[in-house]
Amino acid sequence: MATQKRVWLFRDGNRSLRDLLGGKGANLAEMMNIGLPVPPGFTITTEVCTDYYASGRQLPEGLTDEIKTALADVEKELGKTFGDPNNPLLLSVRSGAKFSMPGMMDTVLNLGLNDEIVNALSQVADPRFVYDSYRRFIMMLSDVAYSDQYDHITKHDFEHMFYDLKAELGVTEDLEVPAESLKALCDSYKAHVIKQTGKEFPQDPFEQLEAAYTAVFRSWNNERAIIYRRKEKIDDSIGTAVNIQAMVFGNRGDDCGTGVAFTRDASTGENVIFGEYLMNAQGEDVVAGVRTPMPISELAKQDPVIYKQFEDTCDILEKHYKDMQDIEFTIEHGKFYILQCRSGKRTGPAAVRIAVDQVKEGLITKEDAIARVDPNLLTQCLLPVIPANAKYNVIARGLPAGPGAATGIAVFSSDKAAELGKGGAGERVILVRADTNPDDLKGMLAAQGVLTERGGMTSHAALVARGFGIPTVAGCSEISVGSDHFVIKATGQIVKEGEFISLNGGLGEVISGQVPVEEAKMTGDFGEYMSWADEFRGKFGVRTNADTPKDTELAIKLGAEGIGLCRTEHMFFEGERRPVVQRMILATNDADRQVALDELLEFQREDFKGIFEALGGRPCTVRLIDPPLHEFMPNREKLIEEVAALHALGKSDPEKEAMLKVVEGMHEINPMMGLRGCRLSIVFPQIVEMQTRAILEGASAVVKSGGTAVPEIMIPLVGHVNELKFVRERLEATAAAVVSEQGVSVDYSFGTMIEVPRGALTADEIAVEASFFSFGTNDLTQMTFGFSRDDSDRFLKPYVAEKILPGDPFESIDQSGVGQLMKIAIEKAHTVRPDIKLGICGEHGGEPTSVKFCYEIGLNYVSCSPYRVPIARLAAAQAALGKGVSDK
Ligand code: ADP
Ligand code: MG
Ligand code: MG
């Protein structure tokens, strides 16, 4: 490693060297080499940064010499000398990791200035420009290089002094501050540095340079950079490069300026340049928002010659990179320079539109278009949106828990929401709650959107909201929610029940009044794009997890090719059914139980008929009852309390006490490993016999009316082949009986879920009895790790933070553990049943990395919630093309 080249001149690099030169450095090199006007410079590699950390924060020997050699090259090219008062070369020192981390690390501009140089320079150049540059430099270097060791020398502290100066002068704009005041400000800055650090601001340019680039290395591990990497799942070990580049000056007068632009509109994807710029300013002014920039269209009027250079550069870059670019530029005395380009971040709808447009423009192939879009972004294409040009008033901000936009009247209880909203009076309502619990579900489903004061991104409200595509702002601590109103804490403004509010879930914004909201369209660019994904995906299927005809219809609209998991117990919870289910459980003799079961049969038959109709001949995997029965009973703790309260008053309620006795009898210490799944089918065979009958009678009804139904009956939680054998034999008998009663032929099959590790390990035995497997990766993960899914939040977060696990295994499949069990199961199953149908129905089925894994290990399909169907279709297409979802 010692002989490795550590410093690369821009002209020696290119875009393929992002690992080594970072994204910024690699692109600066690339742009220089295709002839764009890039100020010359060089890059210190990311390896130097990783070495710096590996060696306990030591710079490698010989680095300084390499830097000096590279610097000499730049000096020669520009005819200037670093540190020479008569003709100084000034530098920018810029961070730049492989993946863009905008604003997370540090940059220093105008480096190489000192008192002597500033003095000399102000004789030959505009003194205002000279002192403006010096004050910026003192501020940036102090902030970047020293503020982690000393107090009160952050950018903020210096900005404050500048602000005070402007107040003193009675001006508001930076540009109104004259040269002599800026000169005085530089003196105050230097005095401030001495006061705070006990040392003089460094005057030796080489000392400044080393301080700057080591500070950039340190900034790799500043708090915001760490947090950003965690969020974006960027590897902590890859380090940042440092780019050292000759300065060009946008603050040198009125024919100078600086700006940023996107080569296409990043929110809509429209093929128009979007940008902002400032005249007589340096780069940081635009992004930091100290001055309000002007729209780039102004530049076209102000200076058509420069604008043409800018436009041509955008065009060259797009054609070269074949993607929308985010660029930074500076104009010095009427000459245009480009300082950065990178593939621009964009919204989901913009990503799709740009990809489709670029295929039509002949810029990229359909394969490129498919590989390019992050599947997770598609969620944004499915939700109602606020039109791009709408103006609105944000009154509070919370977490962007469920994207999409919603408008409606504020209501403060679930009952009210259900009464007034969807399924009720049909008004548009926004449910506002301090927090939400499972009982709020009906209110949430009736609402256009949900706003909560408490709860984070994984809160119940957020999970449900994302599952159902409900725009949601959660954890909005800026409001305080009462029983019929909420208060904006900062302003005291009160919003009462019945008043209109709006939510912009994607940004976490709470908006007063109504905003225009448009339904997302499945046609147009989105439809076309998804049809390409389906071409590449080929035979690999995407199904949905759905329990109602309504969800089924939605999922089919979103491209589902069948149901991979229909959970029948959800049908037991609904309104009038629950008492019947309870009667069935409470029955003390077979006759009573049968009466209740017969009633449930009526309900379930209709449920299945509706679902088969909605499916229009597509297959449907129906899982027989799975959860422990006590979930259908009244809450035990509550009953205990109620009975105790009555006793305390000297009263009693025999019915309640009887109920408590039953509930006590059903109580389990660890219900997730208790009487559930196929174990229920063995202990209470009548329940699953009823379900099998309901499925096949429902299917027969559809067949009789000329349709097709393809039920796949799935037995959950099998760990031993004999469990499956026992249940299946009994259910086959029921099925055969129904078919002969109905006199129509229904194409049904029996299979099982693989969700118990023993089931996976003995898959060759189990496959003899099953014509299909569906991997229930939620339970399989839970049981493989021994992590309770419902309680793991508290330790999984620290696990991930401490890198004990690379990520949450309930989100993305743990490929080496859980995934290995899946592979073993597949291999073993194939030995006895080569044509076994294989799918997955856990939450992972809609997560791009897991979908790719499922594709690679040879599953036939994935199944996921309706709104994730497009994500899975795209992820599968990317897997088929052998493209990574993300190379982070
Ligand atoms: P970030 O990663 O935060 O965008 P940059 O390294 O891109 O940081 O620097 C921020 C800004 O500083 C740039 O947008 C640009 O305007 C300005 N800048 C950087 N290098 C130079 C340079 N050589 N000459 C003039 N301005 C520069
Ligand atoms: Mg910066
Ligand atoms: Mg930048």
Side-chain angles (χ1 to χ4, degrees):
M1 292 295 275
T3 55
Q4 186 93 36
K5 177 164 153 173
R6 298 193 191 94
V7 175
W8 290 62
L9 285 163
F10 290 165
R11 69 162 179 272
D12 294 335
N14 65 63
R15 68 197 269 191
S16 70
L17 296 171
R18 284 177 63 197
D19 283 330
L20 194 64
L21 304 180
K24 197 182 286 169
N27 283 338
L28 283 166
E30 183 81 10
M31 289 194 292
M32 173 166 278
N33 286 323
I34 60 172
L36 289 175
V38 177
F42 51 89
T43 304
I44 307 175
T45 66
T46 54
E47 286 176 358
V48 176
C49 181
T50 48
D51 284 355
Y52 171 77
Y53 282 108
S55 63
R57 305 200 173 204
Q58 298 292 312
L59 290 171
E61 220 173 288
L63 177 66
T64 319
D65 292 338
E66 277 190 68
I67 289 174
K68 283 190 174 159
T69 308
L71 192 57
D73 194 282
V74 176
E75 289 175 331
K76 194 159 150 239
E77 178 168 351
L78 296 176
K80 294 178 177 178
T81 308
F82 189 55
D84 176 359
N86 297 315
N87 188 16
L89 171 67
L90 300 184
L91 299 172
S92 75
V93 177
R94 319 171 60 186
S95 57
K98 178 176 181 187
F99 302 106
S100 157
M101 298 167 55
M104 297 300 130
M105 292 183 294
D106 293 324
T107 291
V108 178
L109 302 183
N110 312 322
L111 186 137
L113 288 175
N114 60 22
D115 293 352
E116 190 191 357
I117 293 175
V118 165
N119 262 331
L121 213 51
S122 61
Q123 310 300 314
V124 293
D126 174 11
R128 192 188 180 284
F129 152 67
V130 174
Y131 290 108
D132 183 54
S133 301
Y134 198 28
R135 66 109 190 150
R136 289 172 186 270
F137 171 53
I138 299 170
M139 170 173 77
M140 284 194 235
L141 188 68
S142 302
D143 178 49
V144 167
Y146 307 117
S147 70
D148 54 349
Q149 303 144 58
Y150 302 101
D151 291 336
H152 307 301
I153 50 167
T154 65
K155 213 172 205 164
H156 176 81
D157 298 301
F158 291 103
E159 289 289 8
H160 215 84
M161 294 169 71
F162 191 27
Y163 181 87
D164 288 344
L165 172 66
K166 283 185 278 186
E168 215 171 279
L169 295 171
V171 301
T172 51
E173 299 296 317
D174 292 6
L175 288 177
E176 294 171 307
V177 181
E180 60 271 26
S181 301
L182 288 174
K183 183 175 183 206
L185 183 67
C186 290
D187 291 336
S188 313
Y189 276 9
K190 284 183 294 172
H192 184 71
V193 170
I194 294 181
K195 185 166 158 230
Q196 293 301 322
T197 68
K199 279 184 266 185
E200 213 184 313
F201 183 80
Q203 294 290 310
D204 172 4
F206 283 97
E207 184 188 338
Q208 296 170 354
L209 185 59
E210 186 171 314
Y213 67 73
T214 47
V216 170
F217 287 150
R218 288 204 305 276
S219 72
W220 175 251
N221 276 332
N222 70 32
E223 202 184 344
R224 60 176 191 268
I226 292 173
I227 292 171
Y228 185 85
R229 285 199 294 274
R230 201 159 286 162
K231 188 159 173 300
E232 292 286 300
K233 302 205 162 66
I234 296 172
D235 185 348
D236 284 325
S237 71
I238 59 176
T240 182
V242 181
N243 302 290
I244 297 176
Q245 184 179 34
M247 282 299 296
V248 287
F249 298 98
N251 60 333
R252 207 162 187 175
D254 293 334
D255 59 347
C256 304
T258 184
V260 291
F262 289 88
T263 57
R264 302 191 187 214
D265 188 317
S267 49
T268 65
E270 196 185 343
N271 190 3
V272 288
I273 296 175
F274 174 88
E276 294 178 327
Y277 78 110
L278 275 174
M279 292 315 273
N280 205 352
Q282 280 198 328
E284 301 282 327
D285 296 351
V286 177
V287 264
V290 285
R291 285 167 57 192
T292 310
M294 293 188 290
I296 199 77
S297 51
E298 280 297 308
L299 184 63
K301 292 181 215 149
Q302 204 170 357
D303 193 335
V305 179
I306 283 285
Y307 187 78
K308 178 87 177 47
Q309 287 180 47
F310 161 75
E311 212 176 27
D312 289 348
T313 306
C314 288
D315 192 50
I316 291 169
L317 282 174
E318 261 221 12
K319 295 226 162 81
H320 184 72
Y321 282 95
K322 302 184 193 303
D323 194 8
M324 187 261 269
Q325 297 293 300
D326 165 358
I327 69 168
E328 297 176 0
F329 63 89
T330 283
I331 302 158
E332 180 177 345
H333 291 327
K335 180 160 173 25
F336 177 87
Y337 292 93
I338 178 129
L339 295 174
Q340 187 172 336
C341 77
R342 63 184 167 215
S343 139
K345 287 214 193 313
R346 63 205 80 179
T347 64
V352 169
R353 173 160 179 189
I354 290 170
V356 170
D357 282 353
Q358 290 186 329
V359 170
K360 292 187 177 158
E361 289 159 23
L363 203 56
I364 59 173
T365 62
K366 285 185 188 175
E367 284 90 337
D368 295 332
I370 290 304
R372 177 164 298 168
V373 177
D374 177 350
N376 288 314
L377 279 182
L378 294 183
T379 319
Q380 296 177 11
C381 300
L382 308 179
L383 297 161
V385 290
I386 300 180
N389 52 10
K391 298 249 178 304
Y392 54 84
N393 176 20
V394 176
I395 50 177
R397 281 170 208 280
L399 299 170
T407 282
I409 53 171
V411 298
F412 293 82
S413 79
S414 272
D415 287 339
K416 197 90 188 215
E419 181 192 323
L420 294 179
K422 290 181 232 167
E427 285 187 57
R428 290 178 304 162
V429 303
I430 304 281
L431 176 65
V432 185
R433 302 283 292 152
D435 46 37
T436 61
N437 61 51
D439 281 340
D440 286 320
L441 189 58
K442 65 171 189 293
M444 294 176 74
L445 293 175
Q448 306 293 320
V450 177
L451 169 62
T452 74
E453 181 182 338
R454 291 188 285 271
M457 295 291 285
T458 59
S459 64
H460 177 73
L463 290 184
V464 172
R466 279 195 291 277
F468 292 103
I470 305 168
T472 296
V473 176
C476 182
S477 54
E478 293 179 11
I479 63 169
S480 150
V481 177
S483 61
D484 62 355
H485 69 281
F486 68 86
V487 183
I488 313 286
K489 288 177 188 167
T491 60
Q493 183 189 342
I494 293 175
V495 176
K496 294 202 198 86
E497 182 144 303
E499 285 180 33
F500 269 103
I501 57 168
S502 303
L503 302 176
N504 193 1
L507 295 175
E509 294 169 335
V510 184
I511 297 160
S512 72
Q514 305 190 51
V515 291
V517 170
E518 301 174 339
E519 275 298 313
K521 295 180 190 69
M522 302 293 140
T523 51
D525 292 333
F526 181 77
E528 186 162 19
Y529 186 75
M530 292 311 299
S531 75
W532 298 345
D534 292 343
E535 267 170 45
F536 293 117
R537 173 164 66 90
K539 284 206 303 280
F540 186 80
V542 175
R543 297 195 189 184
T544 190
N545 300 350
D547 315 329
T548 63
K550 193 167 150 260
D551 276 358
T552 309
E553 276 159 26
L554 171 66
I556 287 172
K557 242 205 266 172
L558 296 172
E561 296 161 310
I563 290 181
L565 177 64
C566 176
R567 303 178 185 88
T568 52
E569 58 271 11
H570 284 197
M571 305 169 177
F572 284 170
F573 280 115
E574 269 170 42
E576 43 181 352
R577 304 173 181 199
R578 198 154 164 167
V580 186
V581 175
Q582 291 183 355
R583 260 194 283 132
M584 183 236 344
I585 295 169
L586 291 170
T588 49
N589 60 64
D590 279 355
D592 286 354
R593 175 158 297 135
Q594 200 54 51
V595 174
L597 281 167
D598 288 345
E599 265 182 72
L600 286 174
L601 174 65
E602 298 291 320
F603 287 127
Q604 288 233 298
R605 186 195 299 125
E606 286 308 304
D607 291 334
F608 291 126
K609 186 166 161 268
I611 288 171
F612 290 133
E613 275 165 358
L615 278 170
R618 297 173 181 86
C620 178
T621 307
V622 185
R623 181 180 70 184
L624 299 177
I625 189 166
D626 182 53
L629 291 182
H630 71 78
E631 286 195 9
F632 303 100
M633 303 303 283
N635 180 275
R636 171 172 168 261
E637 281 72 29
K638 222 168 128 198
L639 275 176
I640 292 177
E641 259 173 43
E642 285 170 3
V643 168
L646 284 173
H647 281 184
L649 297 171
K651 297 184 194 157
S652 72
D653 178 340
E655 215 168 287
K656 235 176 213 149
E657 286 179 26
M659 181 64 93
L660 177 58
K661 219 179 228 154
V662 177
V663 170
E664 286 285 11
M666 295 169 70
H667 178 66
E668 293 177 306
I669 299 292
N670 191 350
M672 279 302 114
M673 295 198 168
L675 181 54
R676 56 173 286 225
C678 64
R679 302 160 202 171
L680 274 174
S681 313
I682 292 163
V683 178
F684 297 103
Q686 305 94 319
I687 300 176
V688 288
E689 276 164 21
M690 178 279 287
Q691 290 197 306
T692 304
R693 180 167 279 281
I695 293 164
L696 290 169
E697 287 182 1
S700 302
V702 171
V703 172
K704 280 181 193 165
S705 59
T708 314
V710 188
E712 300 165 339
I713 299 173
M714 179 159 77
I715 294 154
L717 219 73
V718 168
H720 194 290
V721 63
N722 287 345
E723 294 174 309
L724 181 60
K725 210 168 159 194
F726 181 94
V727 177
R728 186 187 148 179
E729 272 166 13
R730 277 152 189 79
L731 297 188
E732 291 264 27
T734 307
V738 177
V739 169
S740 82
E741 283 162 32
Q742 297 292 322
V744 290
S745 94
V746 173
D747 178 18
Y748 68 88
S749 56
F750 279 92
T752 187
M753 263 172 112
I754 298 293
E755 52 185 336
V756 175
R758 194 184 186 285
L761 294 172
T762 58
D764 47 347
E765 295 168 18
I766 291 176
V768 174
E769 299 292 330
S771 60
F772 63 87
F773 279 178
S774 177
F775 288 95
T777 47
N778 299 342
D779 261 309
L780 192 59
T781 300
Q782 164 159 274
M783 296 199 215
T784 301
F785 273 100
F787 291 166
S788 157
R789 182 168 173 234
D790 299 307
D791 307 307
S792 57
D793 230 39
R794 279 178 43 205
F795 56 87
L796 275 183
K797 275 205 191 102
Y799 266 45
V800 173
E802 297 297 335
K803 300 197 181 70
I804 290 165
L805 290 178
D808 181 342
F810 292 107
E811 247 166 54
S812 187
I813 289 178
D814 156 49
Q815 298 187 7
S816 53
V818 175
Q820 190 182 157
L821 280 171
M822 294 170 75
K823 285 193 216 163
I824 291 171
I826 294 169
E827 207 172 289
K828 292 199 157 192
H830 278 152
T831 61
V832 295
R833 198 186 281 268
D835 63 343
I836 189 166
K837 199 189 304 172
L838 300 166
I840 176 175
C841 60
E843 280 298 308
H844 302 100
E847 189 276 321
T849 316
S850 308
V851 173
K852 181 162 183 262
F853 179 73
C854 291
Y855 182 91
E856 285 163 358
I857 62 173
L859 297 195
N860 302 103
Y861 68 87
V862 293
S863 186
C864 55
S865 58
Y867 280 106
R868 285 173 110 185
V869 166
I871 297 178
R873 285 160 71 195
L874 178 55
Q878 291 180 342
L881 288 170
K883 301 275 162 67
V885 174
S886 149
D887 51 354
K888 269 173 199 161

